[in-house]
Amino acid sequence: MESKPIEHSIEDTDYPKKESKSATFFKELSKNKHYYVLMAPYMIIFLLFTVIPVVISFGLSFSYFNMLEFPRFIGWSNYSRLFLSDDIFSIALKNTFMFAIITGPISYIACFIFAWIINELSPKVRAFMTLVFYAPSISGNVFFIWLIIFSGDSYGYLNGILMKIGIILEPIQWLKDEQYILLVVIIVQLWLSLGAGFLAFIAGLQTIDKSLIEAGAIDGIKNRWQELWFITLPSMRPMLMFGAVMQITQAFAVAEISIALAGFPSVNYAAHTVVTHLMDYGTIRFEMGYASAIATVLFVIMVGTNMVVQKLLRKVGA
Amino acid sequence: MASSTLKIFRVNKKLNRSFTVTFLMFVFLALFGAFMALPLVYAVNNAFKPLDELFIFPPRFFVRNPTFDNFFDLVALMGNSWVPLSRYITNTLLITIIGTVGHILLASAAAYPLAKYRFFGSKMIFSVVVLSLMFSPHVTAIPNYMVMSWLGWINTHASIIVPSLAFPLGLFLMKQFMEQIPNALLEAAKIDGANEYRIFWSVVMPNVKPAWLTLMILQFPMLWGTDGGNFIYSENLKTLHYALGQIIQGGIARAGVGAAVALFLMIVPITLFIISQSSVMQTMANSGIKD
C-alpha cells in the first residue's frame, strides 16, 4: 500500500494576500528547509560526481584538451572525426550494438522467464534457485574463471572436453580467434547479467494480487499465456520498466569483461566497444576532448534507448 | 522422479499444467541453473586442488584430494611481499564498510523527503536521479578524474568511497520503499513534538530495515570488487582485488594461490546475500518505475 505524499503546497497556508510571488517562494523554501538539509549531503556528492561531470563532458566534447593546456574550442570537429574518419570507432560502435542487441533482450527475457518459473516453486526451492541465478552477478570478479574454461591450450576446460569426446583435434584459441571472441564475451556477459532487474521481477511476481488472477479466470482467461499477457505483465509493469533500465544500461556498458577476457586492445579490435574506446583515449592517449565526445555519444545512445524502451513498455498489455 | 518433480513446484489449483510442461520447465531450469552455478562450483573446487590436480589433462572438474595448501601458500607468499596481505584486506574492508554504511545513511536521508513530501524541486530532483540510472558511470569517468584532482583526492581512498556514497540506484530503491510508510505514523510523531530529523532517525529509519539490506547487497559487491581504478597508485592503498590481479599475473605457479583469493573474494558477498535475501525481496517488490 502506497500512501499519498503529504502536500505542503502554498494554497494550504494563509499568507497575507499582498505578499509578492518571490516572498511566498522564499517562505516556502524556508518552511521546507529541513528537507533540503536532509538531502544536502547526498545531493552535493551526486551533483559533484554525476550531474556536473555529464555537463563538463558535454562541454569538453567541443574542445581540444590534453590535461596540460587549457581546453581550446574546436566546434564539431571531434564528432566529425569520430564518425567520419575513426575506423576503430565504427568497429567499436558495431560491436557495442552487437553486444547490446544480443545481450540486452536475451538477458531481459531471461530475467523474466527465470523469475517466472522460479516464482512457481515452493518457497525453499525458490530461495535457493534465486541464489543460484543471482550469485554470478555479485560474486565480484570471479569471471576470470571463464579464462580457464576458454583457455586456448588443451588445459582449458572447453578445449579439454571437446578434444576428449573427439569433436576437435586441436585446441581452439577461443580468446584470440576473431571468430569466437565476441561470442565468448557475450556468453560471459549473459552469465553475469541477472542482477537487480532479476530480483525486481521475482519480487514483482510475488506481489501480484491473487484476486486478479481469480477474476481473470472468471472473465474467460483460458491458459497461462493469456494470464501472462493480460494479468501478470500489466500488473508488474513498473518492475518491467525498472528491469529494462538495468539491463539496457548494462548491455551498452560492456568493457571490463571484454578487457579481462580478450585483452586491451583485443585481437584486431574484435571485442572493442565504445567504452573501451573511451578508456583508450581518456586514460592512455589523454585526448580528453575526443574522449568526452565518445562519452557524450555513449550517453545519448544509453539514455535514448532507455527512453524509447520505456515508451514501448507502457504499451504492454494495454 | 515424477513425484519429486511435482513436489518442487507450488500446487496451482486455478490453472493446472500438464505433467509434460512441468517436467520441461524443470529440465529448462536445471540446465540453466547448472550453467549459472558450475563456474562458481568450479571456483570453489579449484581453491582446494593441489597443484598436480590443477594441471591435469583432461582437466578434472571436482577436486579429488582436497587440501588447504593454496591458503597456506597464499599466506607464505604474501608474508614475503613488500605489502602484507592484511594491508590489502584492511584497505578493501575500509572502503567497503565506509562506502556501504555511508551510502545507506545518505541515500535514506535524501530519500525520506523525496518519498513523503512535495516541495520546490522535489519532482525534478527525482527525475534527474531516474535519468542517471539510464547511463553507466563510464560516461562520467573523465570529468570525475578532473574533479578528483581538483579536490586533491587522487591516490586517496576518498576517491573510491565518496562517489559511491551517491550512487543513484540506492536512492531510487529507498525512495520507492519509503513511500509505503503510513503518513499517520509521521503525523503522530510530529504531534508528539519530534522535528524532521528526529522523525527520520527514530521513525522512518527503523521502518525501512529491509531496504538497508538491499542497498547493502547492491553496494557491497561493487566496492568489495574494486581494484582502485585509475585513482589509486600507491601500493599500500591498493585493494584485495588488485592484489588478486597481481597474483594471477605471477603465472602458472600461482594458479592455486589465485584460486584461494578468488574464493575469498566471492564467498563474502554471496554469504551476505544468503543472509539478507528475504529482506531484499521485500524491497524489490517496490522497485518499479511508475508512470
Side-chain angles (χ1 to χ4, degrees):
Chain A
M1 272 289 137
E2 181 188 324
S3 46
K4 279 258 160 60
I6 301 164
E7 295 281 349
H8 272 290
S9 61
I10 310 165
E11 291 86 50
D12 298 346
T13 40
D14 297 321
Y15 290 120
K17 271 185 183 160
K18 272 179 190 167
E19 236 169 330
S20 68
K21 264 193 176 172
S22 66
T24 43
F25 174 71
F26 282 113
K27 266 204 172 153
E28 164 95 356
L29 277 192
S30 80
K31 187 156 60 84
N32 292 329
K33 64 176 184 289
H34 302 298
Y35 305 140
Y36 294 110
V37 172
L38 274 173
M39 296 194 333
Y42 182 96
M43 285 306 157
I44 290 169
I45 299 173
F46 182 68
L47 269 177
L48 206 54
F49 295 105
T50 304
V51 180
I52 294 174
V54 170
V55 178
I56 296 181
S57 186
F58 182 72
L60 277 181
S61 72
F62 296 102
S63 74
Y64 175 82
F65 182 40
N66 55 12
M67 295 288 275
L68 297 172
E69 301 160 72
F70 194 76
R72 178 158 47 84
F73 181 76
I74 53 168
W76 288 94
S77 51
N78 280 329
Y79 290 98
S80 60
R81 177 178 157 206
L82 199 55
F83 285 104
L84 300 177
S85 55
D86 190 343
D87 294 338
I88 314 291
F89 180 69
S90 59
I91 297 176
L93 204 58
K94 194 199 79 198
N95 285 340
T96 303
F97 274 101
M98 277 286 280
F99 282 130
I101 288 167
I102 297 172
T103 63
I106 291 183
S107 71
Y108 186 62
I109 293 167
C111 279
F112 185 78
I113 291 180
F114 292 136
W116 195 43
I117 299 180
I118 284 174
N119 188 50
E120 303 280 312
L121 304 171
S122 55
K124 273 193 182 144
V125 189
R126 187 201 302 153
F128 176 74
M129 288 313 281
T130 308
L131 175 68
V132 166
F133 281 89
Y134 184 62
S137 71
I138 51 165
S139 59
N141 298 279
V142 179
F143 57 75
F144 82 88
I145 289 293
W146 290 91
L147 273 178
I148 306 170
I149 296 174
F150 286 112
S151 172
D153 51 35
S154 51
Y155 295 110
Y157 274 58
L158 191 60
N159 276 332
I161 293 165
L162 289 179
M163 282 164 77
K164 198 179 170 196
I165 56 178
I167 293 180
I168 54 172
L169 295 175
E170 293 280 312
I172 294 176
Q173 296 276 338
W174 298 106
L175 299 167
K176 296 281 177 288
D177 192 330
E178 283 176 59
Q179 245 186 301
Y180 301 110
I181 295 177
L182 209 57
L183 183 70
V184 171
V185 177
I186 285 173
I187 289 173
V188 178
Q189 173 75 22
L190 284 174
W191 182 70
L192 280 164
S193 67
L194 297 177
F198 171 66
L199 292 186
F201 287 177
I202 297 184
L205 284 164
Q206 280 172 26
T207 50
I208 288 175
D209 196 348
K210 294 279 180 299
S211 60
L212 270 180
I213 296 175
E214 282 164 25
I218 296 165
D219 284 349
I221 297 265
K222 287 186 203 78
N223 53 43
R224 294 194 76 85
W225 301 112
Q226 286 188 347
E227 184 192 299
L228 180 69
W229 185 254
F230 291 110
I231 296 171
T232 312
L233 288 180
S235 352
M236 56 181 289
R237 192 181 302 143
M239 282 83 186
L240 289 177
M241 291 172 44
F242 172 74
V245 170
M246 294 290 107
Q247 298 312 120
I248 291 169
T249 310
Q250 200 179 37
F252 279 112
V254 180
E256 283 80 12
I257 299 158
S258 158
I259 291 172
L261 293 174
F264 181 47
S266 45
V267 176
N268 231 343
Y269 296 106
H272 203 60
T273 66
V274 173
V275 177
T276 57
H277 203 57
L278 169 66
M279 288 174 174
D280 188 6
Y281 280 91
T283 60
I284 296 174
R285 302 183 204 216
F286 284 105
E287 290 190 37
M288 295 311 193
Y290 193 59
S292 296
I294 302 172
T296 306
V297 171
L298 185 67
F299 175 83
V300 171
I301 293 174
M302 283 175 169
V303 175
T305 315
N306 266 306
M307 296 286 190
V308 170
V309 172
Q310 296 287 303
K311 279 239 163 72
L312 290 176
L313 282 175
R314 294 226 160 97
K315 297 202 171 102
V316 168
Chain B
M1 182 73 196
S3 63
S4 70
T5 310
L6 286 169
K7 253 184 214 161
I8 288 171
F9 289 93
R10 216 166 37 183
V11 186
N12 187 335
K13 284 169 200 148
K14 289 286 164 256
L15 290 166
N16 270 324
R17 217 183 289 103
S18 70
F19 171 73
T20 339
V21 174
T22 311
F23 182 73
L24 283 177
M25 272 165 75
F26 176 75
V27 171
F28 180 77
L29 203 61
L31 270 177
F32 280 94
F35 170 72
M36 300 303 281
L38 283 182
L40 297 177
V41 175
Y42 171 73
V44 175
N45 270 288
N46 249 16
F48 295 100
K49 276 182 191 169
L51 209 53
D52 59 323
E53 272 191 62
L54 280 169
F55 298 99
I56 200 167
F57 182 83
R60 205 182 280 151
F61 193 85
F62 290 107
V63 55
R64 279 288 159 82
N65 306 304
T67 157
F68 280 98
D69 282 357
N70 292 328
F71 296 92
F72 295 132
D73 287 351
L74 172 67
V75 175
L77 175 74
M78 299 312 279
N80 293 330
S81 75
W82 181 41
V83 177
L85 182 67
S86 58
R87 182 82 217 191
Y88 294 113
I89 296 180
T90 316
N91 288 337
T92 296
L93 280 177
L94 186 81
I95 290 174
T96 315
I97 291 172
I98 298 180
T100 310
V101 173
H103 174 64
I104 294 171
L105 287 177
L106 262 56
S108 311
Y112 163 56
L114 288 177
K116 281 296 161 191
Y117 303 99
R118 289 275 170 280
F119 49 92
F120 176 75
S122 64
K123 273 201 171 154
M124 193 199 69
I125 290 172
F126 190 64
S127 319
V128 173
V129 171
V130 173
L131 182 75
S132 66
L133 288 176
M134 297 184 178
F135 57 85
S136 68
H138 300 109
V139 169
T140 55
I142 291 165
N144 259 346
Y145 190 86
M146 285 153 53
V147 172
M148 287 298 171
S149 81
W150 176 66
L151 289 168
W153 285 357
I154 302 291
N155 204 28
T156 62
H157 284 150
S159 64
I160 309 289
I161 297 171
V162 176
S164 79
L165 298 180
F167 279 143
L169 184 58
L171 173 59
F172 175 79
L173 291 173
M174 192 53 102
K175 185 242 175 197
Q176 304 296 73
F177 193 72
M178 279 181 178
E179 277 180 352
Q180 36 139 31
I181 297 176
N183 287 341
L185 206 61
L186 306 179
E187 305 281 9
K190 224 167 269 178
I191 291 164
D192 289 348
N195 63 23
E196 288 299 339
Y197 309 102
R198 186 66 201 265
I199 295 176
F200 165 67
W201 190 250
S202 336
V203 180
V204 176
M205 281 304 261
N207 271 297
V208 294
K209 269 184 196 153
W212 300 356
L213 293 172
T214 308
L215 265 58
M216 178 196 75
I217 209 66
L218 294 171
Q219 184 83 343
F220 185 95
M222 200 162 39
L223 291 170
W224 182 252
T226 184
D227 59 359
N230 298 320
F231 295 131
I232 291 181
Y233 47 82
S234 288
E235 197 60 35
N236 59 355
L237 294 176
K238 294 270 190 189
T239 63
L240 188 61
H241 180 249
Y242 170 83
L244 169 71
Q246 295 294 301
I247 291 169
I248 291 173
Q249 271 168 26
I252 282 183
R254 301 273 177 81
V257 180
V261 180
L263 177 67
F264 181 63
L265 277 174
M266 138 191 149
I267 219 79
V268 175
I270 292 182
T271 313
L272 277 179
F273 179 67
I274 295 174
I275 298 168
S276 58
Q277 191 177 4
S278 65
S279 305
V280 173
M281 299 320 281
Q282 211 181 323
T283 316
M284 294 311 270
N286 298 293
S287 65
I289 297 178
K290 286 157 201 132
D291 299 283

